[in-house]
Amino acid sequence: MGLIHIDLFTTLDGVAQAPGAPEEDPDSGFTFGGWQAPLIDEVVGSQADAGMAGMDALLLGRRTYDIFAAYWPHQDGNIARLFNNIPKYVASRSTPTLEWAGSTLLGPDTAAAVGKLRDRHEHVHVIGSLDLVQTLFAERLFDRLTLWVYPILLGSGKKVFADGVVPTNLRLIEPVVASPKGAVMHRYALADGTPGVGNMAAR
């Protein structure tokens, strides 16, 4: 059975809105679109490339799909070739026209659709797609979480852990990686059970 990977970028205060460009997601007057760009360095780039090894499908929310579909078909390079050649699956409440080659609209039952993707692919990656990610968190429909945390505070914006999070155990599966500009990569696997509690005074 294949794995569902969630790949996210966040500030220290949990903002994950529009990391890539000013026009990416200006909802609610967000003015810091593109906040990730000044903090990219060789370590971030090499780790991002390595994290895509084995990727054989993309699962995207509608907004992220539209951004990717407008950009990647016109690019060259390893990432562009990968994204353009693998299947793309889109979760949307509407019935949009999907013009990017290899794109398929998922059905309304997200859990069932994700189950079918696991049967069909080895490594399905979800990039960005914050609304979809909340559903995947809420229903524990993921296997890996790669979280890049950047050393800035924005104070407002859509949060990486918003309404979808439920009590969940995760297990760190690789050493944490820190870049020269202060970005820190954590890679987790979904673990069994829910977080435990205790009494520190008893130690």
Side-chain angles (χ1 to χ4, degrees), residues 81-117:
R81 284 191 290 273
L82 175 64
F83 285 4
N84 288 324
N85 288 330
I86 62 177
K88 279 77 65 174
Y89 299 94
V90 185
S92 176
R93 297 181 182 90
S94 60
T95 54
T97 300
L98 306 179
E99 297 183 351
W100 193 6
S103 299
T104 301
L105 185 66
L106 293 184
D109 186 338
T110 302
V114 169
K116 292 178 181 178
L117 294 185

Side-chain angles (χ1 to χ4, degrees), residues 37-197:
L39 299 169
I40 296 293
D41 54 33
E42 290 184 0
V43 170
V44 172
S46 64
Q47 287 293 324
D49 288 344
M52 295 181 190
M55 180 192 299
D56 60 351
L58 279 169
L59 171 57
L60 304 171
R62 169 68 186 280
R63 183 187 292 272
T64 300
Y65 173 84
D66 287 345
I67 293 168
F68 278 25
Y71 179 78
W72 287 111
H74 312 292
Q75 305 303 311
D76 197 9
N78 292 336
I79 296 177
R81 284 191 290 273
L82 175 64
F83 285 4
N84 288 324
N85 288 330
I86 62 177
K88 279 77 65 174
Y89 299 94
V90 185
S92 176
R93 297 181 182 90
S94 60
T95 54
T97 300
L98 306 179
E99 297 183 351
W100 193 6
S103 299
T104 301
L105 185 66
L106 293 184
D109 186 338
T110 302
V114 169
K116 292 178 181 178
L117 294 185
R118 282 193 169 120
D119 292 337
R120 193 176 301 152
H121 299 285
E122 292 296 320
H123 296 283
V124 180
H125 282 249
V126 182
I127 302 175
S129 307
L130 287 180
D131 289 342
L132 169 61
V133 163
Q134 302 311 310
T135 299
L136 300 180
F137 283 153
E139 301 190 31
R140 295 171 60 92
L141 295 173
F142 69 99
D143 305 284
R144 300 288 185 269
L145 171 62
T146 299
L147 187 66
W148 280 95
V149 181
Y150 288 81
I152 55 174
L153 304 171
L154 294 181
S156 63
K158 296 176 183 177
K159 302 292 186 178
V160 64
F161 300 115
D163 297 333
V165 175
V166 296
T168 302
N169 286 328
L170 301 173
R171 176 172 53 88
L172 190 69
I173 57 174
E174 294 181 11
V176 171
V177 175
S179 77
K181 292 188 176 181
V184 181
M185 185 196 76
H186 310 75
R187 184 162 287 141
Y188 299 99
L190 181 67
D192 292 334
T194 56
V197 298

